[in-house]
Amino acid sequence: MNKKFLTLSLASVISMSCFAQIKTLVPNKDAIKFGQAINEKNAYSHLSVLASDAYEGRETGKKGAWMAADYIRNYFKSLGLKGPVNGEYFQKIDLSSFNLTQNVLTINGQTKEFLKDFYILPTSVSTAGYTISSNSIVFAGYGMNSDAYNDFAGQNVAGKIVMIIESGGPATGKDNALPNRLKYLAEQKAAGVLVINQRVDNLSAGLKNFILNGQTLMKSQENIDRLKSSTILPIVTIGSVIANEILAAGGTSLDSVRNKIKSTGKPASLEINIPVSASAQVTETPLRCENVLGYLEGTDPKLKKEVLVLTGHYDHIGITPDAKGDDKINNGADDDGSGTTGVLLMAKAFTDAKKAGKGSKRSILFMTVVGEEKGLWGSDWYSEHPIFPLENTIADLNTDMIGRTGEEYLGKPDSANYIYSIGSNMLSSDLGKLSEQVNATYTKMKLDYKYDDPKDPERIYYRSDHYNFAKHGIPIIFYYDGMLQQDYHKPGDEISKINFPLLAKRAKLTYFTAWELANRPNRPVVDMDGKGNPKK
């Protein structure tokens, strides 16, 4: 599930399923029969491959993710699912890596060493690159600008190279986050910025790796426009050694200016006569990146044009070079090898049913997406480039982390019989009721609606692939185990910690809900406003 970042009645937020009060369905014998393919043995056979060290944490745009995509495609093909992308199973995403091919900083005629004295992030370089130079540098303290404290008082920074300290500084009652300070400098048309950050003095292996690997971007129109922009502010991050070399030419030092600002509460800005130049270039390299789609056509001549989507993201975060201990691979067994496994298990159950003459009336798209950990890239790409019209998409059921016990349930009696159900009532009262009925009829799990709370500080509703369907008005349910601390985005998220009976039971809840959605006479009505309130 992605790190980055509705409204129900209080009763529905805090209550759990009370089966005696919920109208149950007539159990479907065919659904039960074919659902037997969703079991712990089959789950292990998939997850032991996807979460193995050989897959290197399945990072988007890298070898492990390609291996996972190939594995899923081959499995879909073996089941007899159709490749819906012009006969293929891959929906290719326009992804590129932008790597620095030139990074030069010269102070007073001396060329400085990259990744020792300074670094440049690829994100601060447009595709046109840049070269900046000046015979002087404006030192502007912390780069703050407010009525209470203004490092730029009496300074004209237009066309000049400015040096600022990244962190610290006096409280001004204004949001002084670095991006805001850099935005101000861009608005003032500074030629470039030297940002003093003492972490340069001892760069971590992780940061070095991040810089050397370049910037990986999905080429949405917004990103393309930004990359081509000539207004990107050139930013060079320097350490205390270079900062003191520059400040020495102005008769001061880093400690001195900090102490002066702290003791007087006034800026210590000055222009320093020392020549400086910097240049950077980036090269674009297209990367292999794809969603993996398997299509099961419905059997009803009228209903088969409608599509139910079942999603899980197969990518994870790859390798962490500076992770503590010997294990550097983030296997992502729960996140989201478990949800991807759930999609594969459901694909098996539904294709078995169709081969036996019990195929679903509506069509089903089994879709494992990539780039979720980068910012929901794969599902975003699909929602903007849908293979099937979004108006014909009746719902998305998303499984993202369904294999472990979250912190709130550790040691509790119901730790092996719960799932967080998120978003079922946000757009459709039909879907919310159906979810409760299916659970009461088949799986009898504890449905926890905690993360439907609009005050949820984790903003879980917005942090997985279902959201890119919900934002287009498509009803969704997100199934999630609540693991946010133990091993989350760490090498410890391994298959040995997966509860396979629980994974299978949660996948069955999703499957039985999908069975009902794919076979009911009517699709779920969209009668809610996206926050759980009835539409006006």
Side-chain angles (χ1 to χ4, degrees):
M1 186 173 69
N2 185 259
K3 281 186 175 178
K4 303 172 188 175
F5 339 118
L6 290 165
T7 304
L8 299 172
S9 69
L10 180 61
S12 66
V13 169
I14 65 174
S15 68
M16 307 302 171
S17 295
C18 181
F19 306 127
Q21 299 175 357
I22 298 169
K23 180 182 177 182
T24 57
L25 308 170
V26 177
N28 187 293
K29 293 181 179 179
D30 291 327
I32 294 170
K33 175 183 176 181
F34 296 108
Q36 292 176 10
I38 303 173
N39 58 58
E40 55 191 280
K41 179 181 177 181
N42 288 342
Y44 183 85
S45 70
H46 291 304
L47 192 53
S48 61
V49 175
L50 293 169
S52 66
D53 283 354
Y55 280 56
E56 298 180 350
R58 309 187 304 277
E59 184 173 359
T60 297
K62 296 190 176 180
K63 172 188 171 184
W66 306 334
M67 292 172 67
D70 289 343
Y71 176 88
I72 297 164
R73 176 204 50 202
N74 293 341
Y75 185 69
F76 282 168
K77 190 174 182 179
S78 74
L79 293 176
L81 292 172
K82 294 181 179 178
V85 189
N86 298 318
E88 300 295 330
Y89 296 86
F90 288 163
Q91 181 189 34
K92 295 184 179 180
I93 294 170
D94 196 354
L95 187 76
S96 287
S97 175
F98 296 85
N99 296 79
L100 286 168
T101 52
Q102 181 180 340
N103 38 72
V104 178
L105 174 65
T106 302
I107 305 291
N108 204 19
Q110 296 182 343
T111 301
K112 302 305 176 182
E113 186 175 343
F114 184 60
L115 297 183
K116 178 185 176 185
D117 299 317
F118 75 100
Y119 67 76
I120 297 170
L121 293 175
T123 50
S124 67
V125 185
S126 73
T127 50
Y130 67 76
T131 297
I132 54 174
S133 63
S134 176
N135 288 323
S136 65
I137 297 171
V138 175
F139 172 67
Y142 294 94
M144 294 180 179
N145 171 41
S146 71
D147 293 338
Y149 176 90
N150 186 1
D151 280 312
F152 299 103
Q155 300 287 340
N156 178 13
V157 300
K160 297 179 180 179
I161 296 175
V162 181
M163 183 169 71
I164 64 172
I165 303 170
E166 181 174 276
S167 59
T172 65
K174 186 177 181 180
D175 184 358
N176 287 311
L178 181 63
N180 291 334
R181 289 179 278 151
L182 294 174
K183 181 182 178 183
Y184 175 80
L185 284 166
E187 291 170 347
Q188 299 303 306
K189 301 189 183 306
V193 185
L194 304 181
V195 177
I196 304 167
N197 188 323
Q198 287 183 268
R199 70 180 174 183
V200 177
D201 301 338
N202 187 23
L203 277 181
S204 68
L207 182 54
K208 284 183 180 180
N209 188 59
F210 174 78
I211 295 167
L212 292 172
N213 282 341
Q215 176 188 19
T216 302
L217 284 179
M218 182 178 73
K219 293 178 68 177
S220 63
Q221 191 58 53
E222 178 183 358
N223 283 336
I224 291 171
D225 291 344
R226 188 183 70 80
L227 287 165
K228 291 181 178 179
S229 172
S230 59
T231 62
I232 293 179
L233 182 66
I235 302 166
V236 180
T237 303
I238 62 175
S240 58
V241 173
I242 302 303
N244 278 317
E245 180 182 333
I246 294 170
L247 289 168
T252 187
S253 69
L254 192 55
D255 286 342
S256 294
V257 294
R258 280 179 170 146
N259 291 333
K260 182 177 180 181
I261 293 171
K262 184 177 180 180
S263 62
T264 66
K266 296 180 180 180
S269 303
L270 71 158
E271 188 158 353
I272 302 168
N273 294 319
I274 186 171
V276 58
S277 64
S279 61
Q281 295 289 333
V282 293
T283 298
E284 177 182 356
T285 303
L287 296 175
R288 174 185 165 185
C289 181
E290 58 265 320
N291 294 326
V292 191
L293 284 63
Y295 177 64
L296 185 69
E297 187 175 35
T299 59
D300 186 286
K302 293 183 179 179
L303 294 180
K304 68 180 182 180
K305 72 176 182 178
E306 296 182 350
V307 180
L308 169 66
V309 183
L310 304 179
T311 53
H313 72 89
Y314 70 85
D315 68 296
H316 194 52
I317 63 170
I319 298 172
T320 304
D322 56 352
K324 293 181 180 179
D326 295 330
D327 189 2
K328 311 294 184 184
I329 299 175
N330 299 283
N331 300 86
D334 192 36
D335 185 12
D336 181 34
S338 63
T340 298
T341 294
V343 174
L344 301 186
L345 296 175
M346 289 187 284
K348 167 71 171 167
F350 277 108
T351 54
D352 284 352
K354 186 169 183 180
K355 290 171 185 176
K358 303 294 182 179
S360 59
K361 294 178 181 179
R362 289 184 177 84
S363 299
I364 303 176
L365 178 64
F366 302 92
M367 180 165 65
T368 60
V369 297
V370 71
E372 192 270 358
E373 302 290 5
K374 302 291 187 182
L376 313 186
W377 284 354
S379 54
D380 183 35
W381 187 269
Y382 181 87
S383 74
E384 298 299 328
H385 307 84
I387 303 302
F388 301 97
L390 294 184
E391 58 267 27
N392 292 347
T393 302
I394 68 162
D396 171 56
L397 304 183
N398 183 42
T399 48
D400 187 352
M401 300 172 64
I402 59 170
R404 289 182 64 173
T405 300
E407 288 79 15
E408 291 191 357
Y409 281 87
L410 287 173
K412 291 186 177 181
D414 49 7
S415 63
N417 197 45
Y418 82 95
I419 188 69
Y420 290 102
S421 176
I422 301 162
S424 62
N425 287 290
M426 295 299 173
L427 287 154
S428 173
S429 60
D430 279 355
L431 187 56
K433 292 173 185 175
L434 177 63
S435 174
E436 292 275 355
Q437 291 171 349
V438 166
N439 182 55
T441 303
Y442 293 103
T443 46
K444 296 179 172 59
M445 301 188 78
K446 184 176 183 179
L447 299 184
D448 192 330
Y449 295 105
K450 171 185 176 179
Y451 293 112
D452 275 335
D453 186 346
K455 296 186 177 75
D456 167 32
E458 299 293 343
R459 293 175 57 81
I460 298 295
Y461 177 71
Y462 304 94
R463 285 175 52 181
S464 190
D465 296 294
H466 60 279
Y467 183 68
N468 281 319
F469 291 89
K471 72 182 184 182
H472 288 283
I474 296 168
I476 64 92
I477 303 178
F478 171 28
Y479 301 97
Y480 166 55
D481 62 22
M483 193 190 77
L484 272 175
Q485 296 173 17
Q486 45 169 338
D487 300 324
Y488 178 65
H489 284 195
K490 296 176 183 176
D493 183 8
E494 296 183 327
I495 192 168
S496 61
K497 299 176 183 178
I498 296 294
N499 182 330
F500 281 96
L502 185 55
L503 188 163
K505 190 170 188 179
R506 289 164 170 168
K508 278 192 174 182
L509 171 61
T510 314
Y511 159 77
F512 286 123
T513 306
W515 185 284
E516 288 292 328
L517 287 169
N519 288 291
R520 288 196 156 200
N522 299 312
R523 62 192 288 174
V525 64
V526 179
D527 59 350
M528 310 297 274
D529 66 355
K531 297 181 180 179
N533 301 310
K535 280 186 174 182
K536 295 181 180 179

